[in-house]
Amino acid sequence: MAKVMGENIIEVRGLKNQFGRNVIHEDLDLDVKRGEVLGIVGGSGTGKSVLLRSIVGLQKPKEGSIKAFGIDVLKADPKEMAEVENRWGVMFQDGALFSSLTVRENVEAPMRARLKLDAQTRSALADLRIAMVGLPPKATTLYPSELSGGMRKRAGLARALALDPDIVFLDEPTAGLDPIGASDFDTLIKSLQKAMGLTVFMVTHDLDTLHATCDRVAVLAEKKVLVTGTMAEMLDVDHPWVREYFHGPRAHAAMTASGGEN
């Protein structure tokens, strides 16, 4: 039975992103539903990460509106924006950790900025998040340079979860991981999503990740969201890029591995 999603937690309407004369998005619409894992896919240059950055306020679009939790983030005053930002977490590629801070201090950083907590409570909450993402206790005092690529990603995820968010944004979470590490990270994302009731917005090119974690997929093409739907629904989309991506050899291998094909 298909998973029943909740109301829209993010609503993007008429979005236009442009760099000089290069228009990346034009008249782009997208809904992210509460409780889902939404995968964002598209060819090179379609602006997958630009879309993520626009939603979280790191890229100001030329036109359009972006509502999060019912608040237009492009028009929100500082107090409203702070309330919204307290309800989401972001994990960038390779974790994007502060190199001069330990893992614990990295995870504490959002708490220092937004919560009034004493040092002991802050440290305990950080250690809890670090344990939740599968890092060993000794990792709390290590610096990013002392971590493997997979450990840095887990530390980045722990920091994204620091404020107990409603939604997490993940930018290519399995990029650079070996197949076993990527599969383990997929399992981690799905288990945390269920345990914490998270909504997940995930930019990815990894077909295995799409099959393992996503409830719906949004395809960026022709400067907009061309289509959204389940992985099964993607197989019926009559568009050259979508056909090549979801019907190619790697797609069939990913589908078989996920148990979607005999």
Side-chain angles (χ1 to χ4, degrees), residues 155-241:
L157 180 57
R159 189 176 63 185
L161 298 173
L163 301 180
D164 194 17
D166 293 293
I167 180 170
V168 290
F169 295 87
L170 309 177
D171 193 0
E172 297 285 5
T174 59
L177 297 180
D178 62 68
I180 295 175
S183 178
D184 288 344
F185 205 87
D186 291 341
T187 301
L188 173 64
I189 291 170
K190 199 63 180 177
S191 63
L192 287 173
Q193 185 261 337
K194 290 180 178 178
M196 300 178 70
L198 293 169
T199 303
V200 179
F201 179 105
M202 177 166 50
V203 172
T204 185
H205 69 279
D206 192 326
L207 281 155
D208 290 321
T209 294
L210 292 173
H211 278 285
T213 65
C214 292
D215 300 298
R216 290 194 308 146
V217 178
V219 178
L220 295 188
E222 301 174 12
K223 302 178 183 179
K224 61 184 179 181
V225 174
L226 182 73
V227 63
T228 59
T230 65
M231 289 293 288
E233 290 168 339
M234 291 299 107
L235 299 177
D236 296 326
V237 177
D238 186 18
H239 182 273
W241 188 89

Side-chain angles (χ1 to χ4, degrees), residues 12-17 25-28 51 54 61 63-64 66:
V12 180
R13 295 291 182 270
L15 193 72
K16 181 176 182 178
N17 275 305
H25 303 135
E26 189 158 29
D27 201 24
L28 183 152
L51 175 58
S54 296
E63 298 175 7
I66 300 170

Side-chain angles (χ1 to χ4, degrees), residues 6-119:
E7 76 279 12
N8 293 340
I9 195 169
I10 303 285
E11 293 181 346
V12 180
R13 295 291 182 270
L15 193 72
K16 181 176 182 178
N17 275 305
Q18 182 174 351
F19 300 97
R21 296 184 177 182
N22 187 21
V23 178
I24 306 299
H25 303 135
E26 189 158 29
D27 201 24
L28 183 152
D29 296 340
L30 178 67
D31 292 331
V32 183
K33 299 182 180 298
R34 185 180 296 277
E36 76 172 337
V37 180
L38 177 68
I40 308 296
V41 303
S44 178
T46 54
K48 301 180 292 295
S49 294
V50 172
L51 175 58
L52 184 157
R53 292 172 63 86
S54 296
I55 295 173
V56 302
L58 297 176
Q59 163 67 33
K60 186 173 179 60
K62 289 285 186 179
E63 298 175 7
S65 68
I66 300 170
K67 287 186 177 181
F69 312 105
I71 296 173
D72 189 332
V73 300
L74 301 180
K75 299 178 180 179
D77 60 38
K79 181 179 179 181
E80 289 176 321
M81 199 60 210
E83 291 175 355
V84 171
E85 289 175 344
N86 284 349
R87 299 180 65 181
W88 68 38
V90 185
M91 175 190 158
F92 296 104
Q93 292 188 38
D94 200 37
L97 301 170
F98 299 115
S99 61
S100 62
L101 302 181
T102 65
V103 170
R104 179 188 287 129
E105 290 168 340
N106 265 280
V107 178
E108 286 184 7
M111 302 181 198
R112 287 180 180 273
R114 298 176 185 169
L115 301 179
K116 295 179 179 180
L117 298 174
D118 60 79

